[in-house]
Amino acid sequence: MPAFSPDLMSDVRARFAHVDSCPFQGPRIFFENAGGALTLNSVVETSATFAAIPDNQGRDNPAAHALVDLINRAKQDMATFFNPKDGQFFVGESGTELTFRLIRTAVMGAAPGGAVIGSTVEHPASRSAATHWAKAANEAYISVPHDDASGSVSAEAYAAHMRPEVRVATILHTSPVTGIANDVAAIAATIRQKAPEAYIIVDGIQHASHGHIDIRAYDIDGYVVSPYKVFSRHGYGVAWVSDRMTALPLEQLINGPADNWEMGTRDTGAYATFSDVVAYLDWLGHQRSDSTDPRARIEAAGAVIHAHEQALTETMLHGTGNLPGLAELPGITILGGMDNPAREGLVCFALQDLPAADIVAHLNARGIRTHVRKADHYSGNILNPLGLDSAVRVSLCHYNSVEEVSVFLAAMKEIAAA
């Protein structure tokens, strides 16, 4: 049962650009959200507004003062969304660039003679950065194997490989290939049992659009998102860092502020568009909560997003009416398993004897946008152990509807039969 009423579904969809059509293709259903979510109309408007402003922050004039106020307000909005107890937010080039920076700072700034730990389920952004800088620091890299059947990594798996000399640890919140979330709080607690002073950095890029983030509950030191995957736009990333991370030696201008992470003058529009994202989630949460506390409304938004996406993926897997679900198609492999409670708005599958690229092409011809994941440097860590050279990723978001899932299932029924 969808969590949104028809009226609320219409209101939600009306707030996004190109919700049911592509400016190049025409009418289409957008199931490629893991590659980049739809953009809020408010973000489009804000981006245009700030692209036209010539002034920079840090000057003594009305425009510069206004820009600084907007940035400070955006950082307060980020705090409402991420819920940290301390630390600071800053923006950078992209989520990948920020992930590299945080890991580099932690590895090169931590006490020497240690080790770096991460898991095989991770996106290459964190895994590449961790292995590169561990080698540069002449430290061991400990690779925690994920579970192929569930498409995730557990706290118990980390515990089996933890050592007291671990100085830096990385955790993937949600896999962009399997769509399965990992228990960040449990993994972080496991790391701290053996290495209480380790710097823990989380890749939250895939998780952010699917609801609840609570940095206060994780006991970590860094969290990174890519705003274009959470209803904003390309061109920037957002990172939160703990105060103890900021106390490490930072790459910065000589004689500049000691706690500054940002390189050069950042785009005020980037900050302002993240405020748009938080304002939208506040609105959505207000549809389900009468609380006057902004954080409570964000949590309510996360809950309804999760419930709606869970209903959509259940329909996709198990069918609706006379339409069979993916689970009923012969020769199918569902990454992460058929019924995984940690799944977040994403179903990745392969059909025996029918190449994933062909399925994606057939769906695209029917106006249904999906994506092929190949056993390359992005997804080989997940697909190779399963004996798959590729898979079809169908990634949903809360603005998708049951009707769109039904159109997808009808198309898959035809494709499988053919």
Side-chain angles (χ1 to χ4, degrees):
M1 184 78 178
F4 292 163
S5 68
D7 287 345
L8 182 54
M9 186 85 261
S10 295
D11 286 348
V12 165
R13 287 170 69 86
R15 282 166 166 75
F16 289 89
H18 303 304
V19 69
D20 55 9
S21 65
C22 168
F24 305 101
Q25 181 183 15
R28 62 99 178 87
I29 293 170
F30 194 74
F31 286 157
E32 229 285 84
N33 294 283
L38 294 180
T39 306
L40 285 162
N41 290 320
S42 58
V43 166
V44 177
E45 295 167 3
T46 297
S47 296
T49 296
F50 283 91
I53 295 174
D55 298 276
N56 294 320
Q57 317 99 15
R59 275 66 168 170
D60 187 13
N61 64 66
H65 297 165
L67 296 179
V68 171
D69 289 343
L70 284 162
I71 290 172
N72 290 335
R73 188 185 314 157
K75 289 181 178 180
Q76 293 173 0
D77 292 336
M78 291 171 181
T80 301
F81 178 58
F82 291 96
N83 199 37
K85 63 181 179 181
D86 59 16
Q88 64 170 292
F89 293 95
F90 64 98
V91 302
E93 174 188 338
S94 66
T96 296
E97 182 263 341
L98 289 172
T99 300
F100 265 78
R101 280 191 62 199
L102 265 60
I103 292 172
R104 177 172 72 244
T105 300
V107 173
M108 303 308 289
V116 181
I117 193 169
S119 75
T120 57
V121 79
E122 291 178 30
H123 185 278
S126 59
R127 198 160 165 79
S128 300
T131 54
H132 176 90
W133 289 106
K135 183 178 180 181
N138 198 29
E139 295 183 350
Y141 177 78
I142 304 168
S143 182
V144 179
H146 71 277
D147 179 66
D148 294 329
S150 67
S152 61
V153 65
S154 66
E156 291 76 16
Y158 268 81
H161 292 79
M162 270 299 298
R163 303 176 193 169
E165 65 267 26
V166 166
R167 302 283 191 268
V168 178
T170 57
I171 305 172
L172 177 70
H173 204 151
T174 300
S175 169
V177 183
T178 68
I180 307 302
N182 300 302
D183 190 338
V184 171
I187 294 171
T190 295
I191 292 166
R192 298 234 180 267
Q193 286 176 2
K194 283 283 185 71
E197 298 303 315
Y199 294 95
I200 303 175
I201 297 164
V202 178
D203 171 357
I205 293 171
Q206 177 61 31
H207 174 75
S209 68
H210 298 295
H212 192 64
I213 296 176
D214 189 2
I215 288 174
R216 190 182 299 261
Y218 301 154
D219 193 14
I220 59 174
D221 296 285
Y223 197 98
V224 176
V225 303
S226 292
Y228 78 94
K229 291 195 177 187
V230 59
F231 322 132
S232 188
R233 58 171 171 82
H234 284 274
Y236 74 108
V238 171
W240 168 84
V241 290
S242 67
D243 290 337
R244 64 193 294 262
M245 273 279 285
T246 298
L248 292 171
L250 303 181
E251 297 168 294
Q252 54 192 200
L253 300 180
I254 296 172
N255 297 325
D259 62 351
N260 181 39
W261 281 82
E262 292 189 336
M263 299 290 195
T265 302
R266 304 309 307 172
D267 175 17
T268 303
Y271 280 106
T273 55
F274 206 89
S275 284
D276 289 332
V277 171
V278 178
Y280 165 74
L281 293 172
D282 184 273
W283 167 82
L284 181 59
H286 191 61
Q287 309 311 304
R288 291 305 180 94
S289 172
D290 293 327
S291 175
T292 58
D293 176 25
R295 175 62 191 179
R297 294 195 296 270
I298 293 295
E299 291 176 345
V304 72
I305 285 171
H306 179 77
H308 182 72
E309 292 178 351
Q310 190 173 49
L312 294 182
T313 54
E314 284 295 303
T315 300
M316 184 168 288
L317 288 167
H318 301 293
T320 179
N322 63 348
L323 292 171
L326 291 176
E328 300 175 56
L329 299 181
I332 195 160
T333 298
I334 303 290
L335 277 68
M338 294 289 183
D339 296 294
N340 191 326
R343 176 170 280 113
E344 292 186 340
L346 191 157
V347 178
C348 195
F349 70 93
L351 276 178
Q352 188 176 359
D353 300 326
L354 188 55
D358 291 353
I359 298 173
V360 169
H362 285 308
L363 289 170
N364 200 43
R366 290 167 168 80
I368 304 170
R369 190 74 55 80
T370 59
H371 184 56
V372 59
R373 298 306 314 226
K374 300 177 182 179
D376 54 13
H377 63 293
Y378 282 113
S379 306
N381 57 323
I382 305 297
L383 297 177
N384 285 327
L386 299 174
L388 299 173
D389 61 8
S390 61
V392 180
R393 184 180 70 185
V394 189
S395 47
L396 310 163
C397 215
H398 68 280
Y399 40 67
N400 289 123
S401 66
V402 172
E403 291 75 18
E404 290 177 321
V405 173
S406 297
V407 173
F408 165 81
L409 291 178
M412 284 304 304
K413 181 179 180 181
E414 295 177 7
I415 292 168

